[in-house]
Amino acid sequence: MELRELISQSFSSLTLNKVRTGLATLGIIIGIGSVIALISLGQSSQKAVQTQIQSLGANLLTVIPGSQSSGAVRGAIGGANTLTYDDALAIETSSQITTVKNVSPEFSRHAQITAGRNNTNTQILGATPAYADVRKLNIASGVFITDRDVEGLSKVAVLGPQVVTDLFPDKTNPIGQFIRINNQSFRVVGTTVSKGGSGFQNQDDIVYIPLSTAQKQLFGSSYLSSISVEATSDKVMTQAQNEIGYLLLARHKINDPASADFSIFSQNDILGAASQITGTFTALLSGIAGISLLVGGIGIMNIMLVTVTERTREIGLRKALGAKKRTVIWQFLVEAIILTFTGGIIGIAFGVLASYVISYFIKLPFTVAPHSIVLAIGVSGIIGIVFGWYPARKAANLQPIEALRYE
Amino acid sequence: MIIVSHISKVYKNDSVETVALDDVSFEIKDGDFLAIMGPSGSGKSTLMHILGALDRPTSGTYILDGENVENLDEDELADIRNRKIGFVFQAFNLLPRTSALKNVILPMVYAGIPKPERENKAIEFLKMVGLGDRISHTPSQLSGGQQQRVAIARALVMNPSIILADEPTGNIASTQAEEIMAIFQKLNGDGRTIVMITHEEDIAEHSKRIIYLKDGKIDYDHHNGKQKKIRLNVKLNLK
């Protein structure tokens, strides 16, 4: 029997019981739909993290104080006080360093800030003017921290857009207003353009103040939280990383690079780590969706088995009229494949729609992973074959006499 | 031409052996109209299944049109059923919710006959059994007699060597049963071989020859000298 004929025959027997066919397909629709939605959402969030990190600049290096070893005790990464303003100055001025364009020393703490009756707890970042260049930060209104501010320990602040919304919900112009950080008064001189981002790494929920003010007036520390370094191009990242590494090792009088008291990350390192995390999440969620797909497949098998039992007489008759074993196998297999395939197609539409709606609500870029669609079609076809095979074989192995006698 | 020689069929069930057919031999010549009779349990259904290539004998040979059915595998048996045997069942066994036309087309689908030819042939045979105006009716929209006539059209459409009818009138009203017998007689008059199982004397009366089975053996096998001829009261386009 020709394939086209098999398909048209399978369609007519599937349409005989529309409710059952619909319910059988539903399992596959949900399974495929959730796989598509979750893979697409995983990709969107991966992409979002990528653009966020890349918006910081592809030639950005970050030096953070690292695990400082004193004797046999190794401290936590980032927890040590090892980087100083002089280190940053040396990176900028040393003759050994040829690949660095800009250096931004940074000091960061969380603090409670208030403006009138509104208050928020956010990141206070002590910075120099270089920060705006290195981090590709744009000013929305007013000005950023100037050299004069840093030299004069000025009590001025530049607000990220999230802080503006939190502190000035009535939309008054924050420029010229005063805010209090740890009970010290700061004048707002500028606001920044949103850089996007979400969660614990929100680049918009931040207050910039002069580095000197942060260190000396506010938090009383002479160390740095990090040094951001802009390399001359993204092709010399490794060289820049090495140059800075050797300079700091020499300055800190450490011979063995393995016991360095600082770490240097490029954006690519962070990107890689972040991608790995989102990738793991995507895989995990897809695994869960895969389970629902499996359950859907078992549903198909269940329906096909019921169908075989119910149509025992029909199978017997078909065999008596000359249907060969493989013809019967094909008939039932094609029915199962049509069920899963139709379910797959509807599931794709459903999944794309779902990921569109979800990414709209959680403000992610909407992407549909083409490979997830190919995967879904393939998987639904395979499910049809795998779960259709057993019932089909059962049907084909029925003896025509037994089948004809069946009541 | 059918040659059945020394056929036995033994069913084994939990080490209990049941002999359904015990060394049965006979021949059916082309153009015969044979009725197989006997009480229930006499082995007539078993014989029917063997003649229909639906089952194999435990021993003995069955030669259908010169082909020894014993040596054929499952697919070849399916082919034999498709090309050489036309089945008419007591319960009609039409596909439910499927038009008369599609039911008649079904054997031709398995034979791989091209699509346009199938439809024409199916319509031709439905007209032949007087159902030219019912081709798109489904079984539930037809009377028992009409359903059996669809089944006969289906049995004829592959132009088989024999028509095997298993209690063809068992499920239909007596007036319609007469119609079915009339059709069989007409088909037989045109040279077709018909083998019919029945336990009803007055139905068997319509045949040319009667084999009576008892306990798996042929009790008697005789020519039916007083074959009851009936005149057709349905208009049939039999060739």
Side-chain angles (χ1 to χ4, degrees):
Chain A
M1 198 152 60
E2 293 169 52
L3 184 66
R4 218 182 38 184
E5 200 137 24
L6 269 174
I7 292 173
S8 79
Q9 212 170 62
S10 302
F11 259 114
S12 51
S13 63
L14 286 174
T15 45
L16 285 183
N17 201 330
K18 292 194 184 68
V19 176
R20 179 193 293 170
T21 305
L23 286 174
T25 325
L26 195 61
I28 295 293
I29 293 175
I30 292 172
I32 292 283
S34 43
V35 167
I36 297 261
L38 288 171
I39 291 181
S40 297
L41 283 174
Q43 286 223 325
S44 303
S45 59
Q46 211 156 352
K47 218 172 182 176
V49 170
Q50 276 175 11
T51 39
Q52 191 186 340
I53 291 172
Q54 266 160 0
S55 72
L56 297 172
N59 42 4
L60 180 70
L61 285 173
T62 310
V63 187
I64 61 160
S67 48
Q68 189 180 33
S69 303
S70 61
V73 182
R74 184 169 262 258
I77 288 183
N81 289 331
T82 58
L83 293 178
T84 62
Y85 184 74
D86 289 342
D87 286 334
L89 212 60
I91 294 170
E92 198 168 9
T93 55
S94 167
S95 58
Q96 291 168 37
I97 298 210
T98 57
T99 50
V100 166
K101 194 167 143 197
N102 248 320
V103 179
S104 158
E106 295 148 11
F107 182 88
S108 161
R109 281 279 197 288
H110 270 79
Q112 198 71 24
I113 57 174
T114 53
R117 290 160 141 202
N118 301 305
N119 77 96
T120 179
N121 189 298
T122 188
Q123 190 189 358
I124 311 297
L125 195 121
T128 63
Y131 184 92
D133 295 328
V134 173
R135 294 287 188 133
K136 310 259 182 294
L137 191 68
N138 293 316
I139 297 300
S141 62
V143 292
F144 194 62
I145 313 284
T146 62
D147 283 327
R148 281 243 308 270
D149 294 331
V150 178
E151 281 157 24
L153 280 77
S154 309
K155 291 197 171 170
V156 293
V158 176
L159 308 184
Q162 183 64 49
V163 179
V164 173
T165 342
D166 288 345
L167 292 184
F168 304 99
D170 49 356
K171 296 202 169 75
T172 49
N173 184 6
I175 308 287
Q177 305 283 331
F178 283 87
I179 61 170
R180 293 183 83 81
I181 305 171
N182 280 3
N183 281 324
Q184 297 191 35
S185 190
F186 284 74
R187 186 166 53 88
V188 178
V189 292
T191 59
T192 64
V193 171
S194 171
K195 291 207 79 168
S198 53
F200 56 92
Q201 257 291 343
N202 193 343
Q203 298 177 69
D204 291 342
D205 193 7
I206 195 163
V207 173
Y208 306 94
I209 60 172
L211 175 66
S212 52
T213 317
Q215 282 184 314
K216 290 168 188 158
Q217 304 269 4
L218 213 50
F219 301 114
S221 166
S222 53
Y223 293 97
L224 296 176
S225 314
S226 57
I227 304 171
S228 294
V229 179
E230 189 186 358
T232 46
S233 95
D234 58 358
K235 293 182 185 68
V236 297
M237 297 303 282
T238 319
Q239 198 192 336
Q241 214 162 342
N242 288 335
E243 285 177 0
I244 297 166
Y246 286 121
L247 178 79
L248 291 180
L249 282 175
R251 283 183 57 84
H252 295 182
K253 299 185 174 58
I254 296 163
N255 293 321
D256 179 14
S259 54
D261 57 359
F262 59 88
S263 314
I264 308 173
F265 297 108
S266 69
Q267 287 304 306
N268 276 339
D269 297 335
I270 299 169
L271 196 66
S275 302
Q276 209 179 344
I277 293 169
T278 49
T280 309
F281 264 105
T282 309
L284 186 75
L285 291 174
S286 308
I288 295 169
I291 291 171
S292 65
L293 195 56
L294 185 76
V295 173
I298 294 169
I300 293 277
M301 177 150 75
N302 191 15
I303 291 291
M304 291 309 295
L305 280 174
V306 170
T307 309
V308 169
T309 312
E310 208 184 55
R311 285 159 65 187
T312 301
R313 276 184 80 94
E314 179 200 318
I315 296 160
L317 171 75
R318 285 175 184 274
K319 285 191 131 188
L321 295 183
K324 296 195 171 72
K325 213 167 165 169
R326 62 167 180 278
T327 319
V328 178
I329 288 195
W330 272 112
Q331 188 192 341
F332 281 87
L333 212 49
V334 165
E335 276 184 33
I337 294 170
I338 287 176
L339 275 181
T340 51
F341 205 72
T342 318
I345 299 289
I346 302 172
I348 289 170
F350 173 77
V352 168
L353 186 75
S355 57
Y356 177 78
V357 170
I358 296 172
S359 59
Y360 174 80
F361 278 111
I362 63 173
K363 297 188 176 63
L364 275 177
F366 166 64
T367 51
V368 172
H371 76 264
S372 71
I373 290 180
V374 176
L375 188 81
I377 293 175
V379 164
S380 61
I382 289 169
I383 284 178
I385 293 170
V386 169
F387 291 101
W389 179 256
Y390 174 65
R393 225 188 44 143
K394 205 177 158 192
N397 282 337
L398 284 172
Q399 287 302 311
I401 331 166
E402 306 296 326
L404 278 172
R405 277 209 201 111
Y406 186 85
E407 293 298 329
Chain B
M1 176 81 170
I2 285 172
I3 304 167
V4 172
S5 48
H6 306 289
I7 276 185
S8 298
K9 181 74 185 177
V10 181
Y11 291 109
K12 269 188 195 158
N13 212 341
D14 298 332
S15 72
V16 180
E17 286 193 356
T18 317
V19 181
L21 283 177
D22 187 6
D23 196 30
V24 172
S25 303
F26 60 91
E27 285 181 14
I28 306 170
K29 291 194 170 54
D30 286 343
D32 208 347
F33 186 174
L34 170 68
I36 298 174
M37 293 194 68
S40 56
S42 60
K44 57 187 194 300
S45 285
T46 306
L47 182 57
M48 173 88 180
H49 291 146
I50 290 170
L51 291 177
L54 291 164
D55 202 359
R56 282 173 224 259
T58 314
S59 63
T61 50
Y62 167 36
I63 295 167
L64 172 62
D65 275 358
E67 245 176 306
N68 192 340
V69 176
E70 196 179 11
N71 303 329
L72 303 177
D73 68 21
E74 214 174 305
D75 280 355
E76 286 168 326
L77 284 180
D79 208 44
I80 289 281
R81 293 194 290 264
N82 184 245
R83 288 185 295 110
K84 301 212 160 168
I85 298 159
F87 288 98
V88 177
F89 301 97
Q90 177 174 7
F92 323 133
N93 283 341
L94 299 174
L95 290 185
R97 289 172 285 190
T98 307
S99 70
L101 183 69
K102 281 199 171 157
N103 266 293
V104 177
I105 281 175
L106 197 60
M108 294 190 277
V109 171
Y110 294 127
I113 290 170
K115 222 169 185 179
E117 194 186 328
R118 275 184 221 162
E119 200 147 305
N120 292 337
K121 238 176 152 179
I123 292 170
E124 180 194 324
F125 278 90
L126 279 168
K127 278 184 182 158
M128 206 166 132
V129 295
L131 291 173
D133 54 343
R134 296 273 195 283
I135 58 169
S136 49
H137 286 52
T138 61
S140 60
Q141 295 167 328
L142 296 169
S143 74
Q146 286 170 329
Q147 287 186 58
Q148 197 58 298
R149 281 193 271 157
V150 174
I152 291 170
R154 183 180 65 189
L156 290 171
V157 82
M158 286 297 296
N159 196 21
S161 314
I162 57 165
I163 290 174
L164 274 182
D166 185 3
E167 303 273 9
T169 55
N171 276 14
I172 49 186
S174 55
T175 48
Q176 292 180 326
E178 290 275 286
E179 276 172 28
I180 299 296
M181 283 306 108
I183 292 172
F184 278 174
Q185 284 191 342
K186 185 78 180 77
L187 289 169
N188 181 241
D190 292 341
R192 285 180 197 275
T193 315
I194 295 171
V195 177
M196 173 175 76
I197 284 194
T198 184
H199 64 275
E200 291 173 83
E201 291 274 357
D202 54 334
I203 291 297
E205 290 290 282
H206 297 93
S207 67
K208 287 181 183 167
R209 176 185 169 195
I210 297 173
I211 287 181
Y212 195 89
L213 287 179
K214 200 175 169 188
D215 297 331
K217 288 183 172 161
I218 295 181
D219 196 31
Y220 62 82
D221 176 357
H222 67 79
H223 176 75
N224 184 16
K226 42 175 185 168
Q227 186 185 22
K228 187 170 143 196
K229 296 270 186 187
I230 34 173
R231 224 183 315 125
L232 292 174
N233 47 11
V234 271
K235 203 179 157 222
L236 299 175
N237 298 311
L238 297 180
K239 276 185 265 182

